[in-house]
Amino acid sequence: MHLSDRQPEVAPARLVAELVPPPRFADARFETYRPDPNEPSQAAALAAVRAFAERLSAPPPRKGLFRRAARTPEQKPGIYLDGGFGVGKTHLLTSLWHAAPQPAGYGTFVELTHLVGALGFAGTVDALGTLRLLCVDEFELDDPGDTVLVSSLLTRLVERGVALAATSNTLPDKLGEGRFAAEDFLREIQALSARFDAVRVDGPDYRHRDAVEPPAPLDEDTVAERVAAHPAASIDDWPTLLAHLASLHPSRYGALLDGVEAVGLTGLAPVGDQNTALRVVVLVDRLYDRSLPVFASGRPVDAIFPPEMLAGGYRKKYLRALSRLTALAREGATR
């Protein structure tokens, strides 16, 4: 099967229904998080997120019309986990989702922007405004328009009593620094920062603790053989797949992988432009969410983003994608 032959359609209702933790983290719980003893911030982050979950689960006041537990003045409506790649932020965020009273929502920053595109701003506020908690993984402010959009959305949700939890790789009061010189948006960034208690999570990327280097590329015959051994595997020529991604809205990339259990890619090569690179980031996130091993030929997987892109404003986004794609390629190399 070829991903480039698929034209999935995704109804808005599916986008809302899929606001749950990805399959890779289906079993994540506070009890299964293992703080690195050499990184005290990890144990501290675990304690902070547990305390946040307990506050959400506290019974509401007996009197009044408020359906959620009252906050003391110093308690903020959100918790923000900041740290590098692979330090367990998503594990903690997913554990919070499981421990929190329902209904709760869970999605990436990109998925939220896609939801607004499908439902409209007011429709998204209505769809999410009944939640007790909204978890936002991989918070990004690479685009000024998305900065205002998501800041406004979360502000409206907080006004409706929705608690917030988020992860990112930049402290909230530093969001946007080095990405775009737009002082008009600084006020939006600072206002958003004020809604979160920031918790730092330090440590090395667990995905690469045992092997830093990506696996050597496979030859095309090996990719074909491994795909043939998996009845639910796909295989695509890299340039053809990139062209196909350009024809689909990124909100459909998850559906593109429906029923797929492994992915073969031949002729891997560096992407040629920023728009293509950002589409690849979304695809890699969807592959990683589903724990799909990757069989790849061509250039090594850590060479798909040229050096000038890795030095630019989207650097952290690309590095996260490389971390995840390397892990998937390592899984594929052992199959």
Side-chain angles (χ1 to χ4, degrees):
M1 106 181 95
H2 304 288
L3 301 180
S4 54
D5 290 338
R6 294 184 158 197
Q7 293 287 342
E9 296 295 335
V10 181
R14 173 172 173 172
L15 295 178
V16 175
E18 290 183 342
L19 289 178
V20 297
R24 176 176 285 271
F25 294 95
D27 297 327
R29 300 292 189 276
F30 290 133
E31 293 75 17
T32 60
Y33 182 76
R34 297 290 179 263
D36 186 336
N38 296 317
E39 300 290 345
S41 65
Q42 294 188 11
L46 174 61
V49 180
R50 276 185 182 273
F52 189 79
E54 291 170 359
R55 171 152 58 91
L56 291 178
S57 300
R62 293 186 177 183
K63 296 182 179 181
L65 300 177
F66 299 102
R67 59 185 175 89
R68 296 170 176 84
R71 289 191 297 268
T72 61
E74 65 274 11
Q75 291 177 327
K76 297 180 181 180
I79 189 169
Y80 190 105
L81 301 177
D82 169 76
F85 311 110
V87 294
K89 301 187 306 297
T90 298
H91 188 128
L92 289 172
L93 189 69
T94 305
S95 300
L96 172 61
W97 184 90
H98 284 292
Q102 297 296 314
Y106 185 109
T108 65
F109 177 90
V110 172
E111 287 171 328
L112 277 186
T113 62
H114 294 166
L115 188 63
V116 174
L119 302 181
F121 185 83
T124 303
V125 172
D126 288 339
L128 305 181
T130 59
L131 298 176
R132 298 289 303 275
L133 169 71
L134 176 63
C135 297
V136 185
D137 201 13
E138 302 297 351
F139 210 100
E140 301 170 355
L141 292 177
D142 303 305
D143 180 87
D146 287 346
T147 299
V148 175
L149 175 68
V150 177
S151 177
S152 300
L153 174 64
L154 297 186
T155 298
R156 293 285 298 276
L157 293 178
V158 168
E159 290 171 352
R160 293 199 179 195
V162 180
L164 305 174
T167 75
S168 185
N169 300 300
T170 309
L171 285 170
D173 63 347
K174 301 297 183 184
L175 288 171
E177 282 192 7
R179 303 203 180 193
F180 53 87
E183 292 183 359
D184 290 344
F185 295 99
L186 184 59
R187 180 175 62 257
E188 294 292 335
I189 294 169
Q190 291 177 334
L192 186 60
S193 170
R195 299 187 179 278
F196 293 92
D197 283 318
V199 177
R200 181 73 186 177
V201 191
D202 294 310
D205 186 340
Y206 79 90
R207 288 184 284 264
H208 306 314
R209 285 172 188 164
D210 300 324
V212 176
E213 296 297 324
L218 306 173
D219 59 60
E220 291 198 8
D221 289 341
T222 301
V223 172
E225 290 171 0
R226 295 193 180 184
V227 168
H230 290 73
S234 66
I235 185 167
D236 287 88
D237 170 69
W238 182 242
T240 302
L241 179 59
L242 294 184
H244 185 58
L245 293 179
S247 71
L248 299 175
H249 189 275
S251 64
R252 298 162 67 185
Y253 290 6
L256 190 69
L257 300 170
D258 284 353
V260 176
E261 296 180 1
V263 172
L265 300 172
T266 59
L268 213 63
V271 299
D273 63 89
Q274 199 90 265
N275 289 332
T276 301
L278 294 174
R279 286 192 286 267
V280 169
V281 169
V282 177
L283 177 65
V284 170
D285 284 343
R286 302 290 81 78
L287 292 171
Y288 187 76
D289 287 347
R290 290 158 176 77
S291 300
L292 301 183
V294 171
F295 315 122
S297 71
R299 295 288 300 278
V301 294
D302 66 345
I304 60 173
F305 301 123
E308 59 271 20
M309 289 187 183
L310 293 179
Y314 296 105
R315 179 174 182 270
K316 290 187 177 180
K317 184 179 292 190
Y318 295 146
L319 290 177
R320 185 189 78 232
L322 291 180
S323 172
R324 290 181 166 186
L325 185 57
T326 296
L328 297 177
R330 189 175 297 125
E331 290 179 17
T334 62
R335 296 296 179 95

